[in-house]
Amino acid sequence: MSSSIEAFILILLLLLLLPSRICQLPLDALTSDRPIRDGEVLVSSTQIFALGFFSPGNSQHRYVGVWYNKVPEKTIVWVANRDNPVNDSYGVLSINGDGGLVIHGKDRSTTLWSANVTLSSPNNFTAKLLDTGNLVLLENSQRVLWEGFDYPSDTLLSSMKIGLNWRSGLEWHLTSWKSKDDPGTGSCTYGIDPMGFAQLFLYKGRGASWRGGPWIGDRWSGLPVITATVGAYNVSFVNNEDELSFVYAIARDSVITRGVIDESGIYQLLVWNDQENQWTKFVSYPSEWCDQYGQCGPNTNCDSDKDYMLACTCLPGFESKSPPLRVGGGGCIRKAGASTCQNGEGFVKVAHVKIPDSSTARVNMSMSLKGCKQKCLMDCSCTAYTNADERGGGIGCVTWHGDLMDTRTFSNAGQNLYVRVDTTSLAQYAKSGGSLSKKARLAISLGSVTVFLLLLTLYWLISMKMKGIWKQAYKKITFLSLIIGKRRQNKYPLKLTAGSTYFEEATGRLALHDSRINSELLFFHLKTIATATKNFSIENKLGEGGFGCVYKGILYDGKEIAIKRLSKFSSQGVEEFKNEVLLIAKLQHRNLVKILGCCLEDEEKILIYEYLPNKSLDTFIFNETRRVLLSWTRRLVIIFGIARGLLYLHEDSRLRIIHRDLKASNVLLDNSLNPKIADFGMARMFREEQTEANTNRVVGTYGYMSPEYAMEGLFSIKSDVYSFGVLLLEIVTGKKNAGSHEGYPYSNLIGHIWELWKEGRVVEIIDSSLGESYLVSEIIRCIQIALLCVQEFATDRPTMSRVVSMLGNDSALPSPTQPAFLLKRMSPSGNSSSNKGANSVNDVTCTIVEAR
Ligand SMILES: *[C@@H]1O[C@H](CO)[C@@H](O)[C@H](O)[C@H]1NC(C)=O
Ligand SMILES: *[C@@H]1O[C@H](CO)[C@@H](O)[C@H](O)[C@H]1NC(C)=O
Ligand SMILES: *[C@@H]1O[C@H](CO)[C@@H](O)[C@H](O)[C@H]1NC(C)=O
Ligand SMILES: *[C@@H]1O[C@H](CO)[C@@H](O)[C@H](O)[C@H]1NC(C)=O
Ligand SMILES: *[C@@H]1O[C@H](CO)[C@@H](O)[C@H](O)[C@H]1NC(C)=O
């Protein structure tokens, strides 16, 4: 009796469990009697990809798509019904005689999407998702009748083609989504244009936004980073009667990559980093000035390494249509009166370029360069020529007939282009040695540097007068130069770790291109850094700080960077250190200096920062002539900025950072004289204890150190407040706290100001170079706030948020109590307070190590 009940329950359980188990198990194939319903997934054989219904972003609509099965961040790579979503949750993808593969919603009479294949009898057909991410419809499990890769969405996967198939008429190109919430066919496309000498193109709407140029044997002319010879992947280009196509394939299965075109028209190649659980950017374009199609107009050459104003030049034999030649201008025309037809003309070589738009160029693969030249010379309409294939020293011939569009220079890649010039120009170039001689080039670059410096000075002078207008103009220019790169918000901070060594070399190279336009942290190669700083040469040295030396560097894309080579006293391991750098790099505030990257090689620990040409605050306020440039209004802006930056470090960022070495030389000024705090997080990186604590090593600068920190090694956010107070007093008075104290009846600046404060005479100490440009009450308020910050007892000092609010309103302030006179005039014998070994007087950082 009981056993039959048990059996009954068992059967019941089985009956209950069985169907639901089946539903949960992912399918590996679709057959005519087994469709996929909303909620079910189809996976590829090794489970790399999955297919099912999804809703992107905030959308309520349901789409059938393919995504990575193992990547936690759901990343859609292909969408079937991108323009016809399912309205309800009853969506079905099924095999159907009429259409092959079809999608229906609740209303089964309306076909929302169809593969448009007619099947005689649907019984023998299956649909599978391959490990490449390709959805295929198979006949008798073999013959491919239809495949998803023939209809790309916005993503290019390894082994997926772009181009076109002449026989079937299929066009393989990527099309962006409409928005993050709508995978519908957007307006940006990425594909190959077969016109003339076929080229890779990115279009925004109907216009070209970027041109990859023609395939020149082992790479695209305009994409020197990706070549067929890079080890991590192989690429292939086919151009025959059947098809014109480009494929890239990743050589290692473990590496997951995808190329994607976003709604703003930026194409990027991303790599999945499973240690960081993030997509990492490998390449993106357009990303530089000269990436923008036709940036300088016809018959020009664009050079991203040059400053914005100088990026465009005319090709040889041409002159500016309406000088001066500018980005977005009219480009260049033949020099007036110059004849280039049977009149002694010739060719001038322009090296290292992306060759001009070849949509109307003519190609002959069986010609040599010599033959090519002859052919071009004979034909008066021919304006330029070069090899069609770079391999083996160059073969084939391309000739241009008409304007030369969208030529650009690469610093150490790119092809030669031979441009037709008239006799006079030919003679000029011949005299200077083929193309421009070294001397001429040097002269030109020196000239342009001088012009640039002059312009900068002019701008500087004028901006002092007409700040408003000029600032706006400057902003516009900066904005323009950033448009391309900043169009897309940086969602995936780049983190390369040991797992992706395959890409490190290439990314190291990319760093040079990319670091100018995105805020990602990059790992630089020591080689790159050594080259940029001429092997850490003395002439590149900017200064020496508490944690090492700072050098100026110039990357080979022309970007200026500041390089901090950390001294080796950190005992931290490389991994730990790297994590620390990554954490610190996440701190982003407009009043903090931006970290661009780092280099951890050969026991070197190097940090790469943005370069700020205006140097540090001390070079202004302690300099007789430069201090005049800082009006009171400007100084207030600087004070506010420092306060906000410090507040961010103390309270707003996720990590509580105590700077511990705030001083005038650690506050840098950007182009518009806005302050940026440098060297933050250093103490953290060097593994000091992270809360209010005792520390064995005191890091800080004489004159800025709070008494409890200098004497007892006790630090807290209030030690930074103390340093801020000192800095504030220095900004107001233009005098160093720890400088020479001649003329002060008391020990130091603080002591002196305190005496004046008590006597109601602080006005006497205000920097005389401020002239009459200030409100006395404002300055006195600042001095009072500063005195509150330097009070002897840490608990009496305000927090930075309090300081910011005191600076920002007119509320009544408390009266400061006696400040700490840390720097007493010491007798040569010294006494108890100098027992930590600090005895340097000037603005030198000292490190005091307490014996254990
Ligand atoms: C989706 O729903 C709307 C109304 O909510 C309806 O008008 C429309 O026809 C539906 N579309 C489809 C494809 O079912
Ligand atoms: C199937 O044909 C329809 C109508 O011609 C078309 O809109 C749709 O894009 C086609 N589907 C595919 C997958 O090509
Ligand atoms: C289906 O497949 C079976 C065996 O594979 C074959 O005998 C039959 O002819 C096929 N039917 C059709 C309609 O192709
Ligand atoms: C890349 O190389 C692998 C192995 O060498 C080969 O199987 C594959 O077909 C190649 N892919 C392309 C796109 O050339
Ligand atoms: C290409 O050049 C070769 C050699 O000069 C010539 O014989 C051939 O006709 C040319 N082909 C075309 C299509 O012009």
Side-chain angles (χ1 to χ4, degrees), residues 337-355:
S339 165
T340 53
C341 192
Q342 315 294 332
N343 210 344
E345 69 272 15
F347 297 94
V348 169
K349 181 169 98 176
V350 183
H352 298 312
V353 297
K354 163 166 93 178
I355 58 179

Side-chain angles (χ1 to χ4, degrees), residues 113-116 146 151:
W113 176 87
S114 153
N116 298 336
W146 180 93
Y151 306 89

